[in-house]
Amino acid sequence: MVLHKFGEKLYSGLVATMTFHLKEICSSIEAAQGGLFLEELNRKWADHNKALQMIRDILMYMDRTFIPSAHKTPVHELGLNLWRDVVIHSSKIQTRLLDTLLELIQGERSGEVINRGLMRNITKMLMDLGSSVYQDDFEKQFLESSADFYRLESQEFIESCDCGEYLKKAERRLNEEIERVSHYLDAKSEAKITNVVEKELIESHMQRLVHMENSGLVNMIVGDKYEDLGRMYSLFRRVASGLVLIRDVMTSYIRETGKQLVTDLERLKDPVDFVQRLLDIKDKYDKIIGSAFSNDKTFQNALNSSFEYFINLNSRSPEYISLFVDDKLRKGLKGVSEEDVEIILDKVMMLFRYLQEKDVFEKYYKQHLAKRLLSGKTVSDDAERSLIVKLKTECGYQFTSKLEGMFTDMKTSEDTMQGFYANVGADLGDGPTLSVQVLTTGSWPTQPINTCNLPTEILSICEKFRNYYLGTHTGRRLTWQTNMGTADLKATFGKGQKHELNVSTYQMCVLMLFNNTDRLTYREIEQAAEIPASDLKRCLQSLACVKGKNVLRKEPMSKDIADSDAFFFNDKFTSKFFKVKIGTVVAQRESEPENQETRQRVEEDRKPQIEAAIVRIMKARRVLDHNNIVTEVTKQLQSRFLPNPVVIKKRIESLIEREFLERDKGDRKLYRYLA
């Protein structure tokens, strides 16, 4: 027929025949009742596909030659278009098909079991007819009805569930929809339907969920509910600004609780406990971010900025962190493996990095290290050196060079003592023995020189050492730091019981006064020993008020020392140990006047650093305005401390006076470097 120019007749005949046949099929499908409707549709669709295959094979010549030249629709496509127009878009089938599909999905959401294979065939039929058919005849209405369904359901959930339960239900619904797509919907529908669920179940209720009383985000954090937190993170990250909301609420909570901790006067009484709490809080949030928030960098940054904010609210944080290190390196790391020691030191360094006043920490650290070395109480030289290496990495070699000098002095002192005893040991007889550490002034923290009246027995050997030392080193001076020493005393009590008492130099001076008397008043001790009042009171507290160590008795008995108190040698003192260590009641932290004094010293130390930074900057830039100098100086010094703009201004004035800089004659806010 095509060869004899009847191609048009053959093609129009095909259209007419197929249309007529499909109308009959349409009636058959319309007649199917209830659940048979989809089955009938599916069966007829399968038949139609088979028939189309045969027709295309029979009319292959027309399909290949006539149809392209006449610009007609190819046979297979024609068959699909006719099925769409005659069957699917028939007035009695189109709406019924959509309603049936939506009802089945609704039923499945409510827990009914449906024939997923049949559903897959029907939705595939719609896709085969063209993506626009699938979208217009099904997907659009499916998404709308889903939005209505989840809007209502989310309202029911939010009224009846706590936050954790709600999130579980939302997660389950989301997974169900993803699974539904994989079973019988177009893969492209996944993003659209999950978007609907996210909007209705999560985005619409984000604020309420996060702030939900007794079960919201803060409650999850307090209760260590990692699973719930992880679920909240994974669901909220799906919606715009979801993670920002979690992060903001978490940040404000951390800042608030951190602020309460660092300003709580009760907590601040124990610096070691205070720092331990900071570390515990940091560990807790690190665990939350690691296990629940996928190590999200933005959360980590928020945590770091929160810690930096509240740690620096308390000006004594640098001192307390140093006291914590001191406690650990004195006794807290006994029996702890090297690996665990490194972990603790790394945690301390992490807190150190948050400090804006790192130079204040350095000041205290030097003091505490000095005391540890001089009293021989450091638990591990390796741990000490490991921390110094870490500080060197953070602060540079200038800081650690003095610390290294302290260790060198300790070694040199050992050699000096060996020389002393080799030289004068024979002249000493069986009097007291002496061990001296000679400290280089520049390397060690400057100490106030608190002299006290040493017992005569001690003075003679001290004088012998002075003569030996100055005889072997010319041009040096020795000053005794009696506030930093210790002594071992032999003591005999009431029933002839003998003990060896390990005490501080001050305690030794007090105890040896009782060699000649049984009773002394506070005033008499103060006058005889000439120990500074604050040290003397701590010294007497440790000798008379600590149970099991009270080699003196006090009247009246109380924890505090008053000027009117009297002290007696305690004849009845007993201990199951021969060696009794009597520690000084340590001022765990500096008193307010001491703290002010340290602050002033730090401020003085900062001045040359600020001036050096200004000169370095001006040398490079030659001319610079005031604001830029402040910015550059702050940038250079912020790794050690945050310089105060007022102080920077004063240092600039000082440099102008000393003719390092001059003001620009045309612009008074411009400065010029004088070579």
Side-chain angles (χ1 to χ4, degrees):
M1 287 180 75
V2 172
L3 286 172
H4 289 83
K5 311 291 187 222
F6 291 114
E8 182 64 50
K9 188 172 184 182
L10 178 60
Y11 189 81
S12 56
L14 172 65
V15 173
T17 308
M18 279 176 76
T19 304
F20 176 75
H21 175 65
L22 287 176
K23 281 182 179 170
E24 287 181 346
I25 285 174
C26 190
S27 303
S28 159
I29 295 167
E30 286 168 7
Q33 297 300 311
L36 298 174
F37 168 69
L38 283 189
E39 288 180 17
E40 183 67 12
L41 178 60
N42 184 40
R43 194 160 46 249
K44 296 296 185 193
W45 166 244
D47 291 347
H48 181 63
N49 270 321
K50 207 177 287 176
L52 264 185
Q53 192 69 45
M54 292 178 184
I55 293 166
R56 188 169 60 178
D57 289 350
I58 294 165
L59 301 177
M60 194 179 288
Y61 186 76
M62 178 181 78
D63 215 18
R64 283 187 181 169
T65 55
F66 170 75
I67 287 176
S69 61
H71 304 295
K72 303 282 188 186
T73 306
V75 172
H76 187 262
E77 195 181 329
L78 173 70
L80 295 181
N81 292 348
L82 288 173
W83 176 268
R84 177 191 66 204
D85 298 340
V86 177
V87 179
I88 298 304
H89 287 168
S90 125
S91 57
K92 291 183 181 172
I93 288 179
Q94 190 171 15
T95 311
R96 189 176 169 192
L97 174 59
L98 176 65
D99 292 345
T100 306
L101 292 174
L102 295 181
E103 273 171 35
L104 285 167
I105 290 170
Q106 183 73 357
E108 191 176 46
R109 282 179 183 147
S110 306
E112 293 174 20
V113 177
I114 64 165
N115 184 343
R116 284 181 160 182
L118 181 60
M119 287 287 282
R120 183 168 57 250
N121 290 347
I122 299 297
T123 53
K124 187 171 183 312
M125 171 191 75
L126 295 175
M127 288 183 259
D128 289 346
L129 296 176
S131 58
S132 61
V133 177
Y134 174 80
Q135 286 164 10
D136 297 342
D137 285 38
F138 167 71
E139 189 184 60
K140 196 174 166 192
Q141 286 77 0
F142 163 65
L143 296 173
E144 283 174 14
S145 70
S146 297
D148 295 339
F149 172 78
Y150 285 121
R151 197 172 301 121
L152 279 172
E153 186 172 76
S154 68
Q155 208 54 50
E156 287 170 24
F157 286 170
I158 203 88
E159 300 300 341
S160 62
C161 301
D162 68 21
C163 184
E165 286 171 26
Y166 183 98
L167 293 174
K168 276 181 195 166
K169 290 180 188 287
E171 184 181 55
R172 194 175 69 241
R173 284 303 197 193
L174 197 58
N175 290 336
E176 281 173 11
E177 292 301 335
I178 293 168
E179 188 194 6
R180 182 168 292 114
V181 171
S182 71
H183 278 291
Y184 56 80
L185 299 181
D186 182 8
K188 290 181 188 143
S189 297
E190 185 177 316
K192 299 173 189 173
I193 186 62
T194 51
N195 193 32
V196 167
V197 180
E198 288 157 6
K199 183 176 182 303
E200 300 302 337
L201 285 181
I202 303 164
E203 196 172 351
S204 303
H205 302 288
M206 277 197 308
Q207 290 286 350
R208 188 164 170 187
L209 285 167
V210 166
H211 297 291
M212 202 175 262
E213 207 175 334
N214 300 326
S215 70
L217 178 62
V218 169
N219 183 273
M220 290 176 187
I221 290 171
V222 172
D224 295 331
K225 295 177 181 170
Y226 299 111
E227 200 179 307
D228 287 344
L229 286 165
R231 190 172 287 116
M232 180 178 273
Y233 176 83
S234 64
L235 289 174
F236 278 46
R237 74 187 298 183
R238 292 173 158 274
V239 299
S241 73
L243 290 187
V244 174
L245 175 63
I246 297 179
R247 197 165 59 242
D248 289 350
V249 172
M250 185 182 91
T251 302
S252 66
Y253 175 70
I254 297 172
R255 288 186 174 220
E256 192 50 45
T257 51
K259 185 179 176 182
Q260 284 170 14
L261 173 64
V262 300
T263 53
D264 182 343
L265 296 177
E266 277 304 306
R267 295 255 184 265
L268 297 177
K269 285 179 181 172
D270 184 348
V272 176
D273 180 61
F274 168 78
V275 175
Q276 189 57 56
R277 281 175 182 277
L278 287 178
L279 292 176
D280 292 345
I281 292 171
K282 182 68 169 60
D283 282 347
K284 179 189 176 91
Y285 285 104
D286 280 342
K287 190 173 176 187
I288 287 172
I289 291 169
S291 62
F293 298 160
S294 301
N295 275 322
D296 191 313
K297 278 281 176 285
T298 58
F299 278 80
Q300 197 64 60
N301 294 341
L303 177 63
N304 290 338
S305 72
S306 302
F307 261 76
E308 188 173 332
Y309 159 76
F310 68 71
I311 280 179
N312 291 297
L313 287 177
N314 185 347
S315 62
R316 301 194 82 156
S317 289
E319 178 192 353
Y320 286 7
I321 293 170
S322 180
L323 281 166
F324 178 82
V325 174
D326 188 52
D327 179 74
K328 292 295 172 199
L329 292 175
R330 273 172 182 271
K331 59 191 175 192
L333 298 177
K334 275 183 185 164
V336 176
S337 72
E338 271 184 47
E339 215 171 289
D340 292 337
V341 169
E342 281 299 307
I343 290 169
I344 291 167
L345 296 183
D346 283 339
K347 285 182 177 179
V348 168
M349 289 307 299
M350 170 201 62
L351 289 184
F352 171 74
R353 282 183 204 107
Y354 293 137
L355 293 175
Q356 286 168 354
E357 298 185 305
K358 293 183 174 65
D359 56 339
V360 178
F361 171 86
E362 290 171 15
K363 202 107 191 142
Y364 285 111
Y365 180 73
K366 282 179 186 172
Q367 288 173 13
H368 295 144
L369 174 63
K371 284 178 184 171
R372 286 198 298 279
L373 291 175
L374 295 175
S375 60
K377 284 178 182 165
T378 184
V379 87
S380 156
D381 275 356
D382 288 344
E384 292 283 6
R385 291 184 184 280
S386 172
L387 189 58
I388 288 171
V389 169
K390 293 178 195 298
L391 286 165
K392 189 175 188 175
T393 309
E394 289 291 323
C395 305
Y397 69 93
Q398 297 100 326
F399 170 44
T400 52
S401 62
K402 290 188 176 180
L403 301 179
E404 297 288 349
M406 288 159 78
F407 281 97
T408 307
D409 280 354
M410 295 302 291
K411 179 73 183 79
T412 310
S413 297
E414 276 180 41
D415 300 339
T416 303
M417 288 319 295
Q418 283 174 359
F420 170 65
Y421 279 108
N423 193 282
V424 300
D427 306 338
L428 295 177
D430 56 357
T433 54
L434 186 70
S435 174
V436 180
Q437 276 111 12
V438 183
L439 316 180
T440 311
T441 309
S443 296
W444 296 73
T446 49
Q447 295 284 342
I449 298 169
N450 297 327
T451 54
C452 72
N453 291 337
L454 290 168
T456 49
E457 301 93 325
I458 307 295
L459 278 173
S460 63
I461 191 167
C462 285
E463 203 50 45
K464 283 190 173 96
F465 178 80
R466 179 192 291 276
N467 293 336
Y468 164 76
Y469 187 81
L470 296 179
T472 51
H473 299 87
T474 51
R476 293 195 184 178
R477 285 188 304 128
L478 279 183
T479 312
W480 294 101
Q481 296 273 13
T482 48
N483 57 323
M484 297 164 79
T486 59
D488 289 330
L489 288 179
K490 287 176 179 166
T492 310
F493 293 91
K495 295 174 183 174
Q497 199 176 4
K498 295 188 175 182
H499 288 286
E500 194 174 286
L501 307 177
N502 177 251
V503 292
S504 70
T505 305
Y506 283 162
Q507 288 168 336
M508 173 192 75
C509 295
V510 171
L511 286 174
M512 287 181 76
L513 295 173
F514 285 89
N515 276 337
N516 308 317
T517 180
D518 279 343
R519 179 187 186 279
L520 287 167
T521 63
Y522 173 80
R523 290 286 183 209
E524 287 168 340
I525 295 170
E526 188 177 39
Q527 200 174 350
E530 290 189 10
I531 296 169
S534 62
D535 290 315
L536 179 58
K537 285 186 176 177
R538 284 206 294 269
C539 178
L540 287 167
Q541 259 183 325
S542 54
L543 290 169
C545 305
V546 179
K547 197 175 178 185
K549 307 284 176 79
N550 49 339
V551 292
L552 298 181
R553 283 187 300 109
K554 180 172 98 71
E555 284 183 7
M557 195 55 219
S558 64
K559 281 189 177 178
D560 296 316
I561 306 293
D563 293 0
S564 56
D565 288 346
F567 296 87
F568 304 82
F569 181 67
N570 182 10
D571 261 349
K572 293 178 181 146
F573 174 80
T574 57
S575 173
K576 57 183 175 182
F577 302 108
F578 172 67
K579 285 191 174 182
V580 180
K581 178 173 168 39
I582 300 174
T584 307
V585 175
V586 181
Q588 269 280 47
R589 57 197 190 122
E590 286 186 331
S591 62
E592 208 48 53
E594 289 170 328
N595 185 253
Q596 291 300 327
E597 198 182 313
T598 304
R599 286 263 151 200
Q600 280 172 347
R601 287 206 302 272
V602 169
E603 291 301 333
E604 285 305 312
D605 289 347
R606 285 177 179 178
K607 287 176 184 176
Q609 293 182 56
I610 293 170
E611 287 183 359
I614 295 168
V615 170
R616 273 197 305 273
I617 291 158
M618 292 304 294
K619 209 170 182 179
R621 305 287 282 277
R622 312 307 290 182
V623 177
L624 206 59
D625 67 83
H626 180 81
N627 289 346
N628 274 319
I629 292 178
V630 172
T631 306
E632 292 280 336
V633 169
T634 305
K635 198 184 293 179
Q636 274 199 20
L637 296 178
Q638 66 187 3
S639 65
R640 291 178 60 75
F641 62 92
L642 276 180
N644 186 326
V646 177
V647 178
I648 296 174
K649 188 172 189 293
K650 284 182 182 171
R651 293 342 306 152
I652 293 172
E653 298 295 337
S654 171
L655 288 166
I656 291 171
E657 280 173 28
R658 285 177 283 154
E659 298 184 352
F660 283 92
L661 310 178
E662 67 174 5
R663 280 198 173 83
D664 190 274
K665 291 181 175 64
D667 184 347
R668 302 291 289 166
K669 285 198 171 181
L670 267 184
Y671 301 102
R672 195 179 303 282
Y673 179 68
L674 296 173

